């Protein structure tokens, strides 16, 4: 049976990239525990608008754990307390009446705050633009099964391709590293025949773009894997390193 919750929300408010931010307390009453976390924020915003106050800015799109745009640090954890879900899939039934919840943006040097809980994650786009695609002209789509791919290879590629680019791995890393994201984006092509022609160039360029964007280096804390809503394995980081070393040592940029 549904319960209603009365909560204290401590929310990071920041008027713009150059403004200094601060945590502001809001009391929200009668929040159904059947709501999602983002619906709870919608209710807060409707009430703020009715009072003539400026609503809290946060990102979302699909609200189904697919698009990767939602990103909140909830009580110090990227995407909140439930493992394996993005914060749009977090439900208020995980909270108790009277709880205080602290909500902040993803914190990372390469993800500057735009406003309130919204950060600029375009550094991820620049990494993908550097090589996260198959650039050859493949003509029309082939018939299904015209290019056989072993199931274990297809499964490995798919495991990496499930990365939704949310950035929680960066926000949780003490170094602000994008190694898990970049490793996943490199790996998803490594196992497929279509990914072979640009394999070395892809690794070199995507790692270079990651470094240029100001992300820190990976030092194997594995916090990224712990918070990733899609269960991306840190094995992808080891694979990225192998791909990079192979390309660098053979001095090929093909
Ligand atoms: S690796 Fe996981 S945490 Fe990082 S961007 Fe991809 S889905 Fe998000
Ligand atoms: S809103 Fe799309 S993953 Fe959360």
């Amino acid at each position: 049976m549904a319960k209603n919750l009365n909560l204290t929300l401590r929310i990071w408010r920041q008027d713009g990239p150059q403004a200094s931010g601060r945590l502001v307390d809001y009391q929200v009453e009668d929040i159904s525990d059947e709501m999602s976390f983002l619906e709870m924020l919608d209710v807060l915003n409707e009430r703020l608008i009715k009072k003539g106050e400026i609503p809290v800015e946060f990102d979302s799109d699909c609200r189904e754990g697919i698009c990767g745009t939602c990103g909140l640090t909830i009580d110090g954890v990227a995407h909140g307390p439930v493992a394996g879900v993005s914060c749009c899939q977090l439900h208020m039934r995980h909270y108790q009446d009277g709880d205080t919840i602290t909500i902040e943006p993803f914190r990372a040097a390469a993800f500057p705050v735009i406003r309130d809980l919204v950060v600029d994650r375009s550094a991820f786009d620049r990494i993908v633009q550097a090589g996260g695609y198959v650039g050859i002209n493949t003509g029309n789509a082939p018939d299904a099964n015209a290019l056989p791919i072993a199931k274990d290879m297809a499964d490995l590629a798919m495991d990496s391709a499930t990365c939704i680019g949310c950035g929680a791995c960066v926000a949780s890393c003490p170094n602000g590293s994008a190694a898990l994201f970049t490793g996943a984006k490199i790996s998803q092509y490594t196992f497929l025949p279509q990914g072979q022609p640009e394999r070395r160039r892809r690794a070199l360029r995507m790692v270079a773009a990651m470094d240029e964007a100001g992300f820190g280096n990976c030092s194997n804390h594995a916090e990224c894997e712990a918070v990733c809503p899609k269960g991306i394995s840190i094995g992808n980081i080891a694979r990225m390193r192998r791909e990079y070393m192979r390309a660098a040592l053979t001095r090929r940029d093909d």
Side-chain angles (χ1 to χ4, degrees):
M1 182 157 162
K3 285 186 301 183
N4 278 4
L5 309 173
N6 297 321
L7 303 163
T8 301
L9 304 179
R10 307 200 72 210
I11 301 181
W12 185 260
R13 301 301 310 258
Q14 184 171 335
D15 294 341
Q18 309 308 328
S20 52
R22 72 276 177 214
L23 285 166
V24 178
D25 285 3
Y26 298 93
Q27 306 299 325
V28 284
E29 282 88 35
D30 294 328
I31 296 295
S32 167
D33 70 351
E34 292 182 343
M35 284 181 192
S36 74
F37 199 88
L38 298 190
E39 285 170 338
M40 181 273 293
L41 290 178
D42 291 338
V43 169
L44 168 69
N45 277 346
E46 282 167 13
R47 294 177 186 175
L48 290 176
I49 290 166
K50 275 188 189 148
K51 286 196 288 182
E53 295 181 29
I54 297 173
V56 178
E57 295 267 354
F58 62 95
D59 266 335
S60 73
D61 189 358
C62 70
R63 300 200 176 197
E64 293 181 351
I66 297 168
C67 72
T69 56
C70 64
L72 303 172
T73 301
I74 303 170
D75 290 332
V77 181
H79 287 307
V82 179
V85 298
S86 50
C87 56
C88 59
Q89 300 170 297
L90 176 64
H91 281 81
M92 297 313 296
R93 59 178 172 267
H94 298 290
Y95 291 93
Q96 303 293 323
D97 188 35
D99 277 355
T100 297
I101 307 171
T102 302
I103 310 168
E104 299 171 84
F106 278 178
R107 305 277 189 198
F111 290 168
V113 173
I114 296 173
R115 186 182 179 95
D116 295 340
L117 305 172
V118 177
V119 300
D120 177 359
R121 284 172 300 169
S122 58
F124 268 11
D125 298 334
R126 294 195 292 280
I127 294 172
V128 171
Q129 284 162 359
Y133 51 83
V134 172
I136 55 173
N137 184 353
T138 55
N140 293 332
D143 290 338
N145 300 324
L147 183 60
I149 299 171
K151 177 151 188 337
D152 54 346
M153 292 292 114
D155 286 349
L156 284 167
M158 193 61 197
D159 286 348
S160 305
T162 53
C163 167
I164 56 173
C166 64
C169 46
V170 177
S172 66
C173 174
N175 308 326
S177 169
L180 192 64
F181 167 80
T182 310
K185 295 298 174 193
I186 290 174
S187 293
Q188 73 187 55
Y189 298 105
T190 300
F191 298 108
L192 299 177
Q194 295 92 335
Q196 302 312 308
E198 297 158 295
R199 184 170 170 177
R200 289 180 173 87
R201 177 168 59 196
R202 176 177 302 112
L204 293 172
R205 292 186 179 183
M206 291 182 78
V207 169
M210 175 179 73
D211 292 341
E212 280 164 20
F215 294 104
N217 290 319
C218 170
S219 48
N220 296 326
H221 285 268
E223 294 291 333
C224 52
E225 186 181 77
V227 300
C228 175
K230 296 297 161 188
I232 301 290
S233 161
I234 54 172
N236 285 281
I237 299 176
R239 190 173 303 110
M240 174 181 71
R241 288 176 171 146
R242 285 197 300 274
E243 291 295 308
Y244 182 84
M245 287 302 291
R246 178 172 175 260
L249 291 172
T250 53
R251 294 180 183 278
R252 285 180 60 185
D253 187 20
D254 56 348

